[in-house]
Amino acid sequence: VKLGNGVEMPLLAAGSGGWNSSRAFQSFSAALKAGFTAIDTAHEYGNQEGVAKALQTVPRKSVFVETKVPGCVTDPSSLNPFRCYSATQKNLANDLHELNLSYVDLVLLHYPPAPTWIVRSCGNLTGSCEMIRSQWRAMEEFYKAGKARAIG
């Protein structure tokens, strides 16, 4: 599939939600050996050590790496609604470091900020619109710095 900025993304990826690092390593190693060309992980899964170890077994350019950052006020690292931008910057940097990569192919906002769950929309009443904009700004900077080939 071709993304809006021209980056090609495989249609099928091996995922790692709910696994510890050891299981992530075993599963991704098997998936890569079986021919998978994409992996899907997320900062909050906490298994980047295993993901990184599996990625070291193949050439970096042979695998599409997708990761995600949590919505603001949903993760212990982003509980302050006034620090969505800096929390997102920190999550992005930590994720890249823990994956032992200089860039990822795609970063997604995993889900919207917690206040949107209550009102079911992006609204000024809860501040969720500003939270999303702050997170998106951090992701755009990450992209422009060449640390992600695409964001969404």
Side-chain angles (χ1 to χ4, degrees):
V1 140
K2 189 180 280 193
L3 302 178
N5 67 351
V7 170
E8 295 278 346
M9 179 179 84
L11 287 175
L12 184 64
S16 67
W19 297 342
N20 63 27
S21 280
S22 175
R23 182 72 179 131
F25 169 70
Q26 293 169 352
S27 178
F28 280 138
S29 294
L32 293 168
K33 188 176 181 180
F36 273 77
T37 59
I39 63 161
D40 173 81
T41 188
H43 181 260
E44 72 231 67
Y45 296 168
N47 57 18
Q48 283 85 349
E49 181 184 336
V51 175
K53 197 171 160 186
L55 286 171
Q56 291 172 358
T57 66
V58 296
R60 171 62 184 95
K61 292 195 183 271
S62 70
V63 62
F64 187 94
V65 179
E66 173 186 326
T67 190
K68 299 175 267 328
V69 292
C72 200
V73 194
T74 60
D75 179 80
S77 66
S78 66
L79 292 178
N80 186 332
F82 303 106
R83 294 200 176 128
C84 291
Y85 172 75
S86 61
T88 302
Q89 284 182 310
K90 184 177 178 181
N91 280 337
L92 289 165
N94 286 346
D95 202 18
L96 205 56
H97 174 75
E98 291 167 9
L99 290 170
N100 195 29
L101 297 173
S102 60
Y103 72 96
V104 292
D105 296 287
L106 176 62
V107 176
L108 298 174
L109 183 59
H110 205 173
Y111 37 78
T116 61
W117 302 352
I118 299 163
V119 295
R120 297 285 185 218
S121 69
C122 172
N124 292 326
L125 175 66
T126 62
S128 57
C129 286
E130 185 52 39
M131 290 179 201
I132 292 169
R133 283 191 283 271
S134 293
Q135 290 198 274
W136 188 255
R137 184 167 40 103
M139 290 172 62
E140 283 181 322
E141 290 172 3
F142 194 74
Y143 171 76
K144 288 175 184 173
K147 296 177 182 179
R149 293 179 57 224
I151 57 175

